[in-house]
Amino acid sequence: MTTQNRPVKLIVISFSILLLSSCRSSKLLGSWEFIDLYDGAVTEIDTLKSKENNSRYGTGTLIFNKDSSFTSMEEKGSYQRKNKKLKMKYPALDTVVMNISYLSKDYLLLSAGKDPKTWFYRKK
């Protein structure tokens, strides 16, 4: 490779990394339909994919916006995502730290607590 092509190659590699990281973050954005709540930390989605929303815990939508805001059960807040941690801050309440147990373009599993609970969401 010539010295002349190195800057171009470096720019292409940097741009590719930026695109890949933004695609990963964008999976969280949008509306998620609450399906059910489970005891324990659930990390596998295969057995849950066919589950319908008939939870005894009710229904709801969780919406993540590009501006790092979210809406859950008509309450608005802000969020920060770092790797598999999701910090959700409601006004006048403590920050809730959730673990992203699973995230794809169609499904989201969030877990939290010392005796963990897992929230299962499907993309709307």
Side-chain angles (χ1 to χ4, degrees):
M1 173 167 53
T2 65
T3 315
Q4 191 175 10
N5 291 335
R6 281 189 187 153
V8 173
K9 187 175 182 179
L10 191 61
I11 290 170
V12 169
I13 290 171
S14 299
F15 185 70
S16 297
I17 290 170
L18 180 64
L19 276 177
L20 287 174
S21 66
S22 67
C23 288
R24 191 173 140 227
S25 298
S26 68
K27 284 183 187 177
L28 188 62
L29 298 178
S31 296
W32 297 91
E33 176 187 16
F34 171 75
I35 304 299
D36 213 343
L37 179 65
Y38 300 94
D39 288 327
V42 179
T43 58
E44 295 295 322
I45 200 77
D46 293 338
T47 60
L48 303 177
K49 287 181 179 180
S50 62
K51 182 123 175 96
E52 293 300 319
N53 185 351
N54 55 4
S55 174
R56 65 182 173 165
Y57 299 102
T59 61
T61 302
L62 177 57
I63 302 168
F64 292 101
N65 303 302
K66 283 183 181 181
D67 66 355
S68 297
S69 67
F70 73 93
T71 305
S72 175
M73 299 178 68
E74 299 181 21
E75 292 287 326
K76 294 184 184 281
S78 61
Y79 73 92
Q80 291 179 321
R81 178 181 175 198
K82 187 167 186 178
N83 298 321
K84 293 197 170 237
K85 295 285 184 194
L86 182 64
K87 294 180 180 181
M88 301 172 71
K89 174 71 174 129
Y90 291 93
L93 294 175
D94 289 337
T95 299
V96 176
V97 179
M98 304 291 281
N99 296 310
I100 300 173
S101 303
Y102 183 90
L103 175 61
S104 72
K105 66 181 180 83
D106 297 315
Y107 303 101
L108 172 63
L109 292 174
L110 296 175
S111 61
K114 290 179 184 176
D115 183 21
K117 302 279 188 204
T118 300
W119 287 261
F120 173 45
Y121 293 91
R122 183 178 292 130
K123 192 73 158 235
K124 286 184 98 173

